[in-house]
Amino acid sequence: MVDNKHSIKPWQHQHQFSSINIDGERNTRYVLYLTVITMIVEIVAGTVYGSMALLADGWHMGTHAAAFMITLFAYHYARKHADNPDFSFGTGKVSVLGGFTSAIALGMVALIMLVESTARFFSPHQIQFNEAIVVAIIGLTVNLVSALLLKDHHGHSHSHGHSHSHHNHQEHAHEGQDHNLRAAYLHVLADALTSILAIAALLFGKWYGLTWLDPLMGIVGSIIITRWAWQLLGQTSPILLDQSIEEMYRNKMTALIESEEDHQVTDLHIWKISADHYAAAISIVSHQPKEVDYFKEKLGSFEQVRHLTIEINTCHDTKCHQSIR
């Protein structure tokens, strides 16, 4: 066995790209407690007082409680496995996966609301308006408090340092998308919307006898919530599927490399490895190629790329021999 006494540390990469949102995680836990308590109260009250809007709000909050559990689990899992080498690029996509899963749950909530509300058009129930309105207002109050707890943190997170050989970044605070918490925030907004529609339907039903508004508001709410779920799926699915960065960014990087005489880019991939960080793999061919470190330094201005791998191919006459450095 060869005794390798050389230190390889200068050429090694850090692979921790997960974001830690301590405040968001703590506040999500508070929101979960509030949601579970309110859910129980609304389901019982909706059953007793005969309000479909109130029942929909209660069951809706129940599914959101499950979504908040997904959010908290994602935070815990990402933190626990932050330094696990089994994850090629760390656990940066765990929060994205949590947001994607919660978006599906949000869509299921909308579907259940749509089915139940449509059924109530053909089979209306007697509603005890005064009691139902009081409970709905309580639910809305809880939703608004929950939204305030999550609002200031659903778009901000604090990252670990990302020290690499090509940028030598220092540990820093980073603002970016926390799709996991954004999903929780949208669930809270959906709850608030359902509560507002329930209160409106109950008031008009009490004052003007328009009881058909109760199931109608459930249908309107389901449509709006479906739109939110679709938007969240649209934000998270490209990251999970390793969608490439925009073409303009790739073209700028290619142009910079090929500004060097007799250097061409033969392959270039740039994809997200977390909600906010990109990795790049680039292949370059030349008759007299420059060193890998030269290109890493040259590409240092492309700050969105946190993990850069460069492959150099040396071309001799008409035949090229691959040399990976």
Side-chain angles (χ1 to χ4, degrees), residues 20-30 75 149-150 152-153 156 158 181:
I20 298 177
N21 195 336
I22 298 175
D23 293 336
E25 182 178 2
R26 182 195 62 235
N27 288 348
T28 300
R29 189 173 291 108
Y30 295 156
Y75 280 130
L149 284 171
L150 298 179
D152 292 337
H153 306 286
H156 304 279
H158 306 284
L181 193 59

Side-chain angles (χ1 to χ4, degrees), residues 133-191:
I133 289 171
V134 170
V135 177
I137 291 174
I138 293 174
L140 176 59
T141 302
V142 171
N143 292 330
L144 293 178
V145 171
S146 298
L148 288 174
L149 284 171
L150 298 179
K151 180 180 179 181
D152 292 337
H153 306 286
H154 86 275
H156 304 279
S157 56
H158 306 284
S159 300
H160 291 297
H162 312 291
S163 179
H164 306 288
S165 59
H166 64 297
H167 289 309
N168 192 28
H169 290 286
Q170 300 298 319
E171 186 168 336
H172 64 286
H174 178 77
E175 290 189 3
Q177 281 291 327
D178 184 343
H179 293 95
N180 194 36
L181 193 59
R182 175 168 173 75
Y185 182 63
L186 286 179
H187 277 277
V188 167
L189 289 185
D191 275 334

Side-chain angles (χ1 to χ4, degrees), residues 250-269:
R250 300 197 305 271
N251 290 342
K252 286 182 178 179
M253 185 173 284
T254 299
L256 183 61
I257 294 172
E258 295 187 345
S259 66
E260 296 292 334
E261 185 178 357
D262 190 36
H263 284 77
Q264 280 188 290
V265 174
T266 61
D267 200 17
L268 185 148
H269 300 280

Side-chain angles (χ1 to χ4, degrees), residues 285-289 313-321:
V285 63
S286 173
H287 288 88
Q288 294 181 321
N313 298 286
T314 303
C315 184
H316 298 289
D317 298 326
T318 59
K319 191 174 183 180
C320 292
H321 304 280

Side-chain angles (χ1 to χ4, degrees), residues 215-234:
L216 178 63
M217 290 301 99
I219 293 175
V220 172
S222 69
I223 294 173
I224 296 175
I225 293 167
T226 298
R227 178 180 172 83
W228 289 346
W230 186 256
Q231 289 176 343
L232 188 56
L233 286 173

Side-chain angles (χ1 to χ4, degrees), residues 230-246:
W230 186 256
Q231 289 176 343
L232 188 56
L233 286 173
Q235 293 170 2
T236 55
S237 55
I239 300 175
L240 296 174
L241 293 173
D242 295 331
Q243 185 181 68
S244 181
I245 200 169
E246 59 268 18

Side-chain angles (χ1 to χ4, degrees), residues 42-306:
E42 287 197 336
I43 290 176
V44 172
T47 302
V48 173
Y49 302 138
S51 169
M52 179 55 214
L54 198 55
L55 268 176
D57 192 24
W59 286 114
H60 186 197
M61 294 189 80
T63 57
H64 290 335
F68 297 147
M69 291 180 185
I70 293 174
T71 300
L72 292 172
F73 174 77
Y75 280 130
H76 171 75
Y77 190 89
R79 187 170 56 250
K80 180 180 179 181
H81 296 278
D83 299 313
N84 189 337
D86 290 341
F87 294 90
S88 298
F89 291 101
T91 54
K93 286 188 177 181
V94 171
S95 67
V96 181
L97 180 60
F100 180 86
T101 306
S102 293
I104 294 176
L106 203 60
M108 293 177 62
V109 167
L111 179 61
I112 293 172
M113 288 178 61
L114 178 63
V115 172
E116 289 296 324
S117 297
T118 302
R120 284 298 177 100
F121 268 117
F122 303 98
S123 180
H125 288 203
Q126 183 65 35
I127 302 174
Q128 299 182 40
F129 292 103
N130 292 334
E131 295 86 349
I133 289 171
V134 170
V135 177
I137 291 174
I138 293 174
L140 176 59
T141 302
V142 171
N143 292 330
L144 293 178
V145 171
S146 298
L148 288 174
L149 284 171
L150 298 179
K151 180 180 179 181
D152 292 337
H153 306 286
H154 86 275
H156 304 279
S157 56
H158 306 284
S159 300
H160 291 297
H162 312 291
S163 179
H164 306 288
S165 59
H166 64 297
H167 289 309
N168 192 28
H169 290 286
Q170 300 298 319
E171 186 168 336
H172 64 286
H174 178 77
E175 290 189 3
Q177 281 291 327
D178 184 343
H179 293 95
N180 194 36
L181 193 59
R182 175 168 173 75
Y185 182 63
L186 286 179
H187 277 277
V188 167
L189 289 185
D191 275 334
L193 172 66
T194 309
S195 295
I196 291 172
L197 294 177
I199 293 170
L202 291 167
L203 287 175
F204 276 91
K206 175 183 177 181
W207 294 337
Y208 305 109
L210 303 176
T211 55
W212 52 269
L213 279 176
D214 189 64
L216 178 63
M217 290 301 99
I219 293 175
V220 172
S222 69
I223 294 173
I224 296 175
I225 293 167
T226 298
R227 178 180 172 83
W228 289 346
W230 186 256
Q231 289 176 343
L232 188 56
L233 286 173
Q235 293 170 2
T236 55
S237 55
I239 300 175
L240 296 174
L241 293 173
D242 295 331
Q243 185 181 68
S244 181
I245 200 169
E246 59 268 18
E247 185 178 3
M248 183 181 297
Y249 197 91
R250 300 197 305 271
N251 290 342
K252 286 182 178 179
M253 185 173 284
T254 299
L256 183 61
I257 294 172
E258 295 187 345
S259 66
E260 296 292 334
E261 185 178 357
D262 190 36
H263 284 77
Q264 280 188 290
V265 174
T266 61
D267 200 17
L268 185 148
H269 300 280
I270 308 176
W271 71 99
K272 274 193 171 182
I273 48 180
S274 74
D276 310 297
H277 307 110
Y278 285 87
I282 306 171
S283 294
I284 304 171
V285 63
S286 173
H287 288 88
Q288 294 181 321
K290 294 184 179 295
E291 294 292 327
V292 169
D293 287 343
Y294 174 82
F295 286 106
K296 287 188 174 181
E297 185 67 27
K298 191 177 184 68
L299 296 173
S301 60
F302 292 85
E303 295 184 352
Q304 285 184 269
V305 176
R306 298 297 188 181

